[in-house]
Structure formats: structure tokens, C-alpha cells
Amino acid sequence: MDPFSNIDLGIADWADGIKQWAAANRGTIQPLKLFLNDSINSVESVLQAVSPVVMIVLLTLLAWQLSGRRVAIIVCVALVALGLLDPGAWALAMTTLAIVLFSVAMCVIIGFPLGVLAAKSNRFEGAVRPVLDTMQTIPAFVYLVPVVMLVGIGNVSGVIVTVVFAVPPLIRLTSLGIRQVNQSVVEAARAFGASPSQIMFKVELPLAIPTIMAGVNQTIMLSLSMVVIASMIAVKGLGNEVLRAMGRLDAGKAIVGGLGIVILAVVLDRITQGVTRSGRERGYRHWWQGGPTGLILSIFNAGKRTKQQGETGQRQQTQPRNVKQEGQDGE
């Protein structure tokens, strides 16, 4: 009644052979690891070099431009609260933000073309679907073992694990957004002589932007959720603070790290959600007509109109004098 006790397929030995192969060939991927490590460190250095006040102002202005004044106030309050959590919370948050931003950028570079290809090819979509299902079903801890065998510990391993964990929603929603575009619009563009590339970039992608940005939003959230798990392989930032607090049963440090991650999630979520709203939904036509850019343009245009009105008034005042002078010359 227990036939499986005498059957051994050798899966454990096969996996151990993969481990030995990875250890033997680890040097072949060292150039790629060094490139990724330098890139991550560059992003982190830029974020750490900017003072907290300047960073708060920049992110608030960005939120105002993309999402409106109300979201800008929420972002400003959240960032100030992040700085007040702990004297070292801001630096840790910038390290986490650098890893998340780099991971999301890699997800977009990899996931967006694959999503477009899946939308255009049913065969490719059918082949990639079980792979995406597997990537989203396997527990996140399982990703750590093969990545550490190939790359080792550090921020690069954390980025690779995060990309593998967070890229499936972007691929799925990019494909879904393009497939949901109204075919009558596509047929109308084709009837007017639009090429396939013009249909893609001027019809399908603009109409699919809300769904694609929803995929980017989900990718950002999954990247932040992976921060604590990736800290187990020596990834720095707020996740490492939470992990250390768990090891020492330090509830205060754990709460600080957890709240920092939550605040970053709120800030990034509100900013990315604002991108999906069109200008007409906000009450204007183009994106530059609102936010700080719209305010600067309105002040500039008001000054320009005042100058034009002054010049017009001067011309109207000088015109009767010229007419009177001509009448006297005629007499």
C-alpha cells in the first residue's frame, strides 16, 4: 500500500549536481554581477546624496504633477513621517528605494516586450502562461536557493530574486491591455493606411496604458513585499532591519522597518496610480497644463498677457495724438 517508499528518481542528486555546476561556473557570470552591482550602487549613491528636504520636495512636486494636489499632500506627509520614525530610517529607506526602483526598471525592460509579444502571438502566450503560473505559485523562499548558488549573496541576488518574483503581473497585464483594445478602432486605423508599428504605438499602447500601469503598480508592490525576504541573502535596507529585529525580538526596530516599507508602498502606489488618469479626467487636456508645470505656465502666460495689454493701451493712447497732428498739418 506504500509503493513510493521504494522508488527514488534521484531528483535530490540531480539538484545537487546543478549546485555543483553552478559553483564551478560562477566565474562566468561575474562580469554581469559586477555591472549590476555598480548600477545599483550608482542609483543608491544618487538617492543618498540628495538631502531629505530636497527629496521630499521633489517627490511632492512629482506627485502633484502626476496625481494632483491631494496626493501630493499625502506623499509629503508620508515622507515626513518616514523621516521621523528613526534617525536612521531615511537612509535605510533610500537604500530600499534604490533596490526597488532598479528592480522595477529591470522588470519593465524584460516584461514589457514579452507582454507585447504575448498579445500579438497566441502561440507564445500559450507557451509563456504555464511559466508565469509557476513563477507566481512557487513560494518566494524557493527563489533564494538557486540564485545564491549562481550569484552569491548581496544586492544583486536580491534584485534578481525580486525581478523573477515581480515580473509576471506586468507581462500578463500588458498582454491583457493590448488584447482588450477595441478592434473597431484598430480596423479604422488600418483602413486609413496606418502601418503595424503606427497602430501599435499610436493606437493600441495609448489605449492600453491604464492596464499596463496597473501591471507596473502590481510589480512595485510585489517588489516591496520581497524586500524582507530578500534580506535573508544580505540585501540591505529596511528589510534587513526587520530581519535583524526578528532575530533579536526587538519589536521597536521591527515596527520602524515595517512602517517604513508601508510608507514607501503608499508613496509609490499613489504616484503610479496618478499616471493612469488622463488629463481630461483631471479637468485639463494635456499633462503639462496641471500641477507645478501648469502653475508656472499660467504665471508666465498671465505676465505675457499683461505686457501685451500694456502695449495695446500705449498704442491706443498714441493713435489719437497722431490723428490730431495730421489734422493740424492738413490745415
Side-chain angles (χ1 to χ4, degrees):
M1 299 301 293
D2 187 13
F4 303 108
S5 60
N6 298 322
I7 299 176
D8 186 7
L9 299 179
I11 296 178
D13 296 335
W14 176 71
D16 189 64
I18 296 177
K19 176 183 176 181
Q20 295 177 359
W21 176 87
N25 295 274
R26 183 177 295 178
T28 57
I29 61 173
Q30 287 302 311
L32 178 61
K33 178 182 178 181
L34 293 177
F35 172 75
L36 293 177
N37 190 45
D38 292 341
S39 301
I40 297 169
N41 290 336
S42 299
V43 176
E44 182 182 357
S45 300
V46 171
L47 294 179
Q48 296 287 2
V50 180
S51 65
V53 175
V54 175
M55 181 62 69
I56 291 173
V57 172
L58 291 177
L59 292 178
T60 302
L61 292 176
L62 180 63
W64 184 15
Q65 184 66 54
L66 296 178
S67 304
R69 190 176 303 173
R70 181 179 178 182
V71 175
I73 295 174
I74 295 174
V75 168
C76 182
V77 173
L79 292 175
V80 172
L82 175 62
L84 295 176
L85 287 176
D86 189 79
W90 185 267
L92 294 173
M94 291 301 101
T95 300
T96 300
L97 183 61
I99 295 173
V100 170
L101 291 179
F102 191 84
S103 301
V104 172
M106 293 294 295
C107 288
V108 172
I109 293 173
I110 297 172
F112 181 74
L114 292 178
V116 173
L117 185 59
K120 293 298 181 180
S121 174
N122 292 329
R123 182 176 299 179
F124 180 78
E125 198 272 339
V128 78
R129 184 185 302 171
V131 178
L132 297 178
D133 292 338
T134 303
M135 293 169 64
Q136 290 185 292
T137 306
I138 292 180
F141 290 97
V142 179
Y143 293 127
L144 302 180
V145 178
V147 172
V148 171
M149 289 191 304
L150 288 170
V151 183
I153 61 175
N155 290 338
V156 177
S157 300
V159 168
I160 295 175
V161 170
T162 303
V163 169
V164 175
F165 181 71
V167 75
L170 180 58
I171 299 175
R172 289 183 183 275
L173 290 175
T174 300
S175 176
L176 179 64
I178 296 175
R179 287 177 178 270
Q180 285 183 340
V181 173
N182 193 345
Q183 290 302 312
S184 61
V185 180
V186 177
E187 292 297 332
R190 188 176 292 113
F192 278 100
S195 64
S197 60
Q198 290 175 333
I199 293 174
M200 169 62 67
F201 291 104
K202 295 185 178 182
V203 177
E204 292 179 333
L205 287 181
L207 293 176
I209 281 296
T211 307
I212 295 174
M213 289 307 302
V216 175
N217 182 273
Q218 291 298 312
T219 298
I220 293 174
M221 295 301 105
L222 290 175
S223 299
L224 283 169
S225 68
M226 195 67 184
V227 167
V228 178
I229 299 175
S231 64
M232 299 178 65
I233 52 176
V235 177
K236 301 177 182 178
L238 292 171
N240 191 25
E241 189 75 4
V242 174
L243 183 65
R244 291 169 57 189
M246 291 173 58
R248 296 178 298 188
L249 297 178
D250 190 346
K253 290 293 184 181
I255 292 175
V256 168
L259 286 178
I261 295 172
V262 171
I263 291 174
L264 282 181
V266 170
V267 170
L268 295 177
D269 177 70
R270 294 297 182 269
I271 292 176
T272 53
Q273 280 187 358
V275 180
T276 62
R277 298 176 59 196
S278 63
R280 294 182 180 180
E281 292 177 349
R282 302 189 188 102
Y284 45 85
R285 186 174 181 182
H286 301 289
W287 66 268
W288 62 81
Q289 293 176 337
T293 306
L295 179 62
I296 295 173
L297 290 176
S298 63
I299 295 174
F300 176 76
N301 292 330
K304 190 176 180 180
R305 284 195 300 268
T306 303
K307 183 178 179 181
Q308 290 177 352
Q309 291 175 358
E311 293 177 352
T312 304
Q314 291 179 358
R315 286 196 299 268
Q316 290 176 354
Q317 291 177 359
T318 57
Q319 185 175 2
R321 296 179 182 177
N322 294 334
V323 173
K324 184 177 180 180
Q325 184 66 32
E326 291 177 357
Q328 292 176 358
D329 293 342
E331 294 178 354

